[in-house]
Amino acid sequence: MAHSMPVAELLFSETDATPMSTDPATVKPWSQARACLRAAPQAWLSTTRPDERPHTMPVMPVWADDAPCFTTRPGSRKAKNLDRNDNCVLIVSDPNLDLVLEGRATRIQDPARQRRVADAFMTKYQWPFSTRDGLVYDDGLPGSPEYVFYRVTPVRAFGYGPDGLTATRWRF
């Protein structure tokens, strides 16, 4: 599912009392953020527990169907939190960008999409998943445990440059 290009803008204006750049030339393109998401070997995923406390854990992201995706076990705290409240934050970094992506994570249940995400995990991490009857398994582990795939649909994102002085906001 293709997304329209997000609106990229400065996070701060000249009227804000901030040490951040207010030069429009420093706005980062979404293509840079997307490349950071695609290449990141690890991301930090924040979800909300039933008692409203935050829960943050590392995940291994892949890019599939034009969005960041990740996997977890269906009984994990992450999965339980997301099944109750799909709002999440995904954070990745590379030498040129620190990216904070706010979005909604939904379970991928369509077998064709599951297969594409499984293929992305194999390509990026050499982590083989099999899909059977709409479910995802890691047959490389004893007992072939079940996993679930999630797709994060961005709502807004923030990108910070390595200079500590540039910030971009993307609105979707």
Side-chain angles (χ1 to χ4, degrees):
M1 172 161 86
H3 294 284
S4 59
M5 291 302 290
V7 174
E9 61 192 8
L10 286 167
L11 186 54
F12 300 100
S13 71
E14 290 181 19
T15 60
D16 292 319
T18 177
M20 301 299 268
S21 174
T22 57
D23 180 356
T26 65
V27 170
K28 310 248 184 276
W30 177 245
S31 59
Q32 182 180 356
R34 192 174 53 234
C36 182
L37 278 163
R38 289 179 82 122
Q42 178 177 308
W44 291 98
L45 175 73
S46 293
T47 60
T48 305
R49 296 172 188 265
D51 65 5
E52 300 301 320
R53 291 182 301 127
H55 179 261
T56 303
M57 296 297 284
V59 294
M60 297 166 67
V62 296
W63 192 265
D65 288 342
D66 201 33
C69 301
F70 64 91
T71 189
T72 189
R73 300 288 302 276
S76 71
R77 173 49 46 205
K78 295 182 288 289
K80 289 176 182 178
N81 290 347
L82 290 170
D83 289 346
R84 190 184 142 279
N85 178 348
D86 64 356
N87 291 293
C88 67
V89 175
L90 197 62
I91 301 170
V92 297
S93 257
D94 71 16
N96 299 307
L97 187 67
D98 293 323
L99 180 67
V100 178
L101 177 81
E102 297 177 356
R104 303 202 136 168
T106 54
R107 272 194 196 204
I108 299 170
Q109 298 182 338
D110 174 68
R113 284 189 175 194
Q114 288 175 336
R115 185 73 257 149
R116 288 191 294 272
V117 174
D119 291 345
F121 270 100
M122 187 62 182
T123 299
K124 186 171 181 180
Y125 301 108
Q126 293 72 54
W127 189 358
F129 286 100
S130 64
T131 58
R132 298 187 294 279
D133 301 321
L135 300 175
V136 178
Y137 300 95
D138 182 345
D139 292 331
L141 292 176
S144 297
E146 183 182 345
Y147 279 76
V148 290
F149 293 148
Y150 285 89
R151 177 184 196 278
V152 179
T153 302
V155 174
R156 76 183 57 77
F158 303 91
Y160 300 91
D163 58 8
L165 301 174
T166 56
T168 300
R169 173 178 42 219
W170 295 275
R171 290 180 290 125
F172 295 82

